[in-house]
């Protein structure tokens, strides 16, 4: 038996989150039968009050939108990785009572690409410029030796991505969304857009595509991912990202390793089948 410890994912909305499925599968595989992992619908206004009620049994929290920046003032410190994009998706409560924040999305993206054989690329492209795009740019700053083309809809988004590029030390070229299909010729394409946005790009997939990293996972496959696979290109899914960032969260919250990635993947796949 292990001592009772608690963890949870917070966000709003949160009912769709697969994090409980992933973390509970990890706990089972690690033999942590005294650990529980829940989900709570918490918005920015309610976050400070939620923190105030946490007891010593709490080991950590996973955070999704809209809390990744709102949580930072409530913490005692954040990692360099989290600071690089001003976003925290992981909070760990230490034995001495400190609340520390990290971002596992960035190394999670790198790990997901590595699992698919992508260690380094000369150039890459990002579709979209929202919150996930900044994490994608931070990940690419670690593995891309040359230019990253970012296709955006507005001048404001373009300015934001250029600011992130300067902070991250990445070489970025901004492209207009009207020309976004040009991105599909890059050796690595990261699509960070909401469901349906890239559906019309399916016909623009080149004869010999490189690798597509589509951060969506439900519904899956996306039209773009399906067309990409049909052309023989490699596809990394949002589920791959979700898994690898969750593995890092479990490691930090429990202090245990190796985390059972295969069991987590199976549990997530079964949950998605049940949903459909």
């Amino acid at each position: 038996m292990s001592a009772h410890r608690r963890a949870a994912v917070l966000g709003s909305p949160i009912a769709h989150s697969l994090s409980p499925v992933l973390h509970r599968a990890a706990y089972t595989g690690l033999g942590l039968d005294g650990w529980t992992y829940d989900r709570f619908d918490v918005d920015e206004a309610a976050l400070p009050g939620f923190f105030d009620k946490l007891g010593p049994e709490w080991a950590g929290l996973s955070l999704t939108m809209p809390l990744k920046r709102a949580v930072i003032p409530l913490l005692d410190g954040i990692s360099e990785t989290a600071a690089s994009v001003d976003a925290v998706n992981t909070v760990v409560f230490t034995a001495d009572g400190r609340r520390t924040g990290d971002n596992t999305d960035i190394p999670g993206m790198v790990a997901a690409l590595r699992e698919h054989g992508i260690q380094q690329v000369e150039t890459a492209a990002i579709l979209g410029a929202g919150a996930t795009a900044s994490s994608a740019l931070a990940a690419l700053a670690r593995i891309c030796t040359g230019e990253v083309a970012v296709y955006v809809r507005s001048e404001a988004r373009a300015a934001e991505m250029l600011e992130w590029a300067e902070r991250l030390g990445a070489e970025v070229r901004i492209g207009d969304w009207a020309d976004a299909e040009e991105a599909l010729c890059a050796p690595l394409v990261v699509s960070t857009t909401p469901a349906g946005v890239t559906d019309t790009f399916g016909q623009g997939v080149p004869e010999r595509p490189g690798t597509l990293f589509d951060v969506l996972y439900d519904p899956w496959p996306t039209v773009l991912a399906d067309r990409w696979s049909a052309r023989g290109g490699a596809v990394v899914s949002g589920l791959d990202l979700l898994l690898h960032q969750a593995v890092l969260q479990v490691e930090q919250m429990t202090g245990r390793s190796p985390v059972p990635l295969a069991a987590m993947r199976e549990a997530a796949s079964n949950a998605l089948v049940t949903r459909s």
Side-chain angles (χ1 to χ4, degrees), residues 1-7 27 31-36 56-59 254 256:
M1 288 287 291
S2 52
H4 177 55
R5 302 302 306 278
R6 296 190 68 184
Y27 297 164
L32 298 174
D33 51 352
W35 285 65
T36 59
E57 74 278 9
W58 282 88
T254 68
R256 300 284 294 274

Side-chain angles (χ1 to χ4, degrees), residues 12 51 56 65 115 139 144 153-154 196-197 205 210 212 227 229 238 246:
S12 185
F51 265 68
M65 298 303 290
E115 184 183 27
C144 185
R153 292 182 181 274
S154 70
V197 173
V205 177
L212 171 68
R227 182 62 176 171
S229 294

Side-chain angles (χ1 to χ4, degrees), residues 25-178:
Y27 297 164
T28 298
L30 291 169
L32 298 174
D33 51 352
W35 285 65
T36 59
Y37 190 100
D38 302 296
R39 65 165 67 91
F40 295 95
D41 196 299
V42 177
D43 60 17
E44 294 170 270
L47 187 61
F50 187 92
F51 265 68
D52 288 342
K53 297 176 182 178
L54 298 179
E57 74 278 9
W58 282 88
L61 296 170
S62 307
L63 301 172
T64 187
M65 298 303 290
L67 305 178
K68 292 184 179 183
R69 291 183 181 168
V71 74
I72 294 176
L74 305 177
L75 304 177
D76 297 303
I78 64 174
S79 68
E80 290 185 7
T81 301
S84 72
V85 290
D86 290 336
V88 167
N89 78 327
T90 307
V91 176
V92 175
F93 302 104
T94 61
D96 60 2
R98 288 177 54 83
R99 300 168 172 176
T100 61
D102 194 14
N103 186 308
T104 64
D105 286 331
I106 295 167
M109 287 185 177
V110 174
L113 286 166
R114 186 183 302 119
E115 184 183 27
H116 286 261
I118 306 298
Q119 302 279 353
Q120 189 178 83
V121 292
E122 293 184 0
T123 60
I126 297 175
L127 297 172
T132 305
S134 62
S135 291
L137 183 59
L140 291 176
R142 300 184 179 191
I143 67 168
C144 185
T145 59
E147 179 184 83
V148 179
V150 182
Y151 290 85
V152 302
R153 292 182 181 274
S154 70
E155 292 184 4
R157 292 292 195 184
E160 288 177 3
M161 291 304 291
L162 289 173
E163 288 178 9
W164 288 120
E166 184 175 358
R167 178 186 291 196
L168 295 163
E171 180 186 348
V172 163
R173 174 177 62 85
I174 299 297
D176 189 275
W177 188 257

